[in-house]
Amino acid sequence: MSGRFFYGFRGSTFVPVAGIVGASGLVKLGVLIVFGNACVFFFNLSRYHGRRKPGADAADAKAERLLLLGACATWALLALSALLYLGTVSARWYPLPDSALYRSLAESLSSGEGYTYWGEVPSHALPGFPLFLAGCMKLGLRQVWQLNTVMALCGLGLCWTVWGLTRLLVGRGPANLALAAFAFSDQTLLQSHYLMTEAPFALLLGLALIC
């Protein structure tokens, strides 16, 4: 795979979905999800049409169809975003300067050495994200792909939070568009697979806005 969209995953091993079914399998699975949602939509459409009284207003029937279409689009987008973010988890670590610092601090914390970097307490890094990574390591998530999976889950949760917040403010239709634009952005995808603070912080901020 090449190109700007998958720049951060070039030459990597995909875990866990892509490592099992391969890239072509991911495409087939995505098509299957869309096809399944379409089947559910038409099934529900026929069921509601059969329940509708003969004298019902045509506008009500149109509104029902639009509601069903919007719901199916939502589930399809949620499923495809989950497939994309979890299917592109990499088993490689990309040692950006901040990422290296956070990981080193987390390893020091999880091993009982305290909040130290090469034996010294860093003055330019807050302990929040290293503590989060250290907690993951304490739970046994020490492999690179495991930590990357945690970050991907944060990014995926952020995408769904964007949908939920937009849904509360302006409705389902704009929320679906916001989810599609945000979740399938190359920058959102890349930042959700690095050991960096952006995805977890944005997720917490989004959840705080919803709550």
Side-chain angles (χ1 to χ4, degrees):
M1 283 177 289
S2 61
R4 183 167 174 261
F5 188 80
F6 283 101
Y7 174 80
F9 309 106
R10 188 178 302 163
S12 62
T13 302
F14 297 122
V15 181
V17 178
I20 300 173
V21 300
S24 62
L26 285 176
V27 175
K28 294 177 182 177
L29 186 56
V31 173
L32 181 62
I33 291 172
V34 174
F35 177 74
N37 277 277
C39 291
V40 171
F41 167 71
F42 286 111
F43 171 76
N44 288 329
L45 182 62
S46 63
R47 185 182 62 175
Y48 280 102
H49 181 74
R51 289 181 178 179
R52 191 167 58 90
K53 296 180 180 179
D57 186 60
D60 293 337
K62 182 179 180 180
E64 288 179 353
R65 287 194 294 269
L66 290 176
L67 285 174
L68 286 172
L69 182 60
C72 289
T74 298
W75 284 109
L77 287 171
L78 293 176
L80 287 174
S81 60
L83 179 67
L84 175 64
Y85 278 69
L86 296 179
T88 52
V89 171
S90 174
R92 292 176 57 188
W93 175 49
Y94 300 93
L96 303 174
D98 289 346
S99 178
L101 174 62
Y102 295 143
R103 188 180 177 187
S104 296
L105 290 172
E107 289 176 347
S108 296
L109 286 168
S110 63
S111 62
E113 298 178 6
Y115 192 66
T116 59
Y117 181 70
W118 290 95
E120 298 182 0
V121 178
S123 59
H124 59 285
L126 296 176
F129 187 60
L131 283 171
F132 172 72
L133 291 179
C136 295
M137 293 178 179
K138 283 290 188 179
L139 294 175
L141 305 177
R142 289 186 170 274
Q143 299 296 322
V144 173
W145 73 266
Q146 293 173 327
L147 294 175
N148 286 344
T149 300
V150 172
M151 299 305 300
L153 289 173
C154 290
L156 181 61
L158 175 60
C159 294
W160 293 357
T161 302
V162 167
W163 179 89
L165 184 60
T166 311
R167 173 72 172 82
L168 289 175
L169 294 175
V170 292
R172 182 187 293 273
N176 288 342
L177 293 177
L179 174 61
F182 188 79
F184 301 112
S185 164
D186 59 342
Q187 291 303 311
T188 306
L189 184 63
L190 291 178
Q191 292 298 325
S192 299
H193 290 79
Y194 292 148
L195 296 182
M196 301 288 285
T197 60
E198 282 78 2
F201 174 79
L203 174 60
L204 290 177
L205 179 60
L207 292 174
L209 290 173
I210 290 179
C211 299

